[in-house]
């Protein structure tokens, strides 16, 4: 006779379930560990380099000696606004030009190579051309401005500009697959600013 309502399984039931399904538990654990190892061994490491900008909040000697102002020269809101200035295109574009990132495959992709998406688009283009739905147009090389825009977007995607715990310090960080490139770009953004 079973009591009405929900029945809670006891420890003996759980042990019985584990004993009957031990093969699936062990096989699932091994497959999960092998899958995790395969994914982690094929991932390339990502390096992050950071540089800090500290704003001087003290008054200059001239202003102090002439008693012009007693207020700090840079307010907290000013440093917060500088985050947007640092991560703007007016700062990043000179960095892209100075470091010639328009020819870097990490930012603009490999020229002349195809990835899966471009192969699928090419397949559809070829099929529509064969069916007579579309004329085949020759592909032209992207312009310098287009490459610069793509490189700027790539830099901005990996650039992180944040304010530190101290209100007058801004942290500029850049992530890349190459540690030298990460530090070079982070330093170049700070120097350009």
């Amino acid at each position: 006779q079973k009591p009405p309502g929900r029945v809670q399984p006891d420890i003996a039931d759980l042990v019985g379930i584990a004993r009957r399904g031990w093969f699936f538990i062990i096989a699932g654990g091994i497959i999960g560990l092998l899958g995790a190892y395969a994914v982690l061994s094929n991932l390339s490491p990502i390096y992050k380099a950071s540089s800090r900008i500290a704003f001087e909040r003290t008054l200059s000697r001239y202003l102090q000696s002439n008693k012009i102002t007693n207020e700090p020269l840079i307010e907290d809101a000013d440093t917060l606004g500088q985050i947007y200035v640092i991560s703007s295109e007016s700062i990043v574009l000179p960095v892209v030009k100075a470091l010639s990132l328009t020819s870097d495959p990490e930012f603009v992709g490999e020229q002349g190579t195809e990835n899966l998406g471009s192969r699928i688009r090419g397949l559809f283009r070829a099929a529509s051309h064969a069916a007579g739905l579309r004329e085949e147009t020759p592909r032209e090389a992207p312009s310098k401005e287009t490459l610069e825009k793509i490189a700027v977007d790539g830099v901005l995607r990996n650039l992180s500009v944040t304010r530190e715990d101290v209100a007058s310090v801004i942290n500029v960080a850049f992530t890349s697959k190459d540690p030298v490139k990460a530090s070079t770009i982070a330093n170049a953004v700070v120097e350009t600013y």
Side-chain angles (χ1 to χ4, degrees):
Q1 188 102 77
K2 291 188 178 181
R6 280 181 94 172
V7 176
Q8 294 290 337
D10 60 354
I11 300 296
D13 292 335
L14 296 177
V15 170
I17 292 170
R19 195 172 345 134
R20 285 190 302 270
W22 68 270
F23 177 74
F24 295 110
I25 295 171
I26 292 176
I30 290 173
I31 290 172
L33 288 174
L34 289 175
Y37 177 75
V39 167
L40 291 176
S41 65
N42 288 324
L43 287 178
S44 60
I46 301 292
Y47 298 97
K48 185 174 188 177
S50 65
S51 186
R52 290 191 175 106
I53 301 172
F55 294 100
E56 183 65 38
R57 296 179 52 88
T58 59
L59 297 172
S60 66
R61 289 185 186 188
Y62 175 77
L63 294 176
Q64 285 177 346
S65 64
N66 292 325
K67 306 261 187 220
I68 294 175
T69 182
N70 289 330
E71 299 294 320
L73 296 178
I74 296 176
E75 299 288 330
D76 291 343
D78 293 335
T79 58
L80 191 59
Q82 295 305 307
I83 291 173
Y84 298 107
V85 173
I86 294 170
S87 59
S88 69
E89 190 172 325
S90 62
I91 298 295
V92 175
L93 184 60
V95 171
V96 167
K97 289 179 180 178
L99 298 177
S100 300
L101 298 180
T102 56
S103 60
D104 192 339
E106 184 176 345
F107 298 103
V108 295
E110 296 276 344
Q111 299 299 323
T113 61
E114 295 183 345
N115 58 12
L116 182 61
S118 63
R119 288 181 186 170
I120 292 172
R121 284 190 297 275
L123 180 65
F124 281 120
R125 258 189 249 117
S128 64
H129 176 67
L133 299 175
R134 180 179 152 162
E135 289 293 320
E136 187 69 28
T137 57
R139 292 182 62 184
E140 55 189 55
S143 66
K144 180 181 176 185
E145 290 80 22
T146 305
L147 288 174
E148 286 176 352
K149 176 74 173 133
I150 293 169
V152 165
D153 289 342
V155 169
L156 288 175
R157 189 171 35 254
N158 295 329
L159 184 69
S160 169
V161 182
T162 56
R163 195 166 86 168
E164 294 285 324
D165 293 336
V166 178
S168 62
V169 177
I170 293 178
N171 186 22
V172 178
F174 189 80
T175 56
S176 176
K177 295 177 182 176
D178 183 15
V180 174
K181 190 184 302 180
S183 63
T184 302
I185 293 174
N187 290 333
V189 168
V190 170
E191 289 170 9
T192 302
Y193 171 73

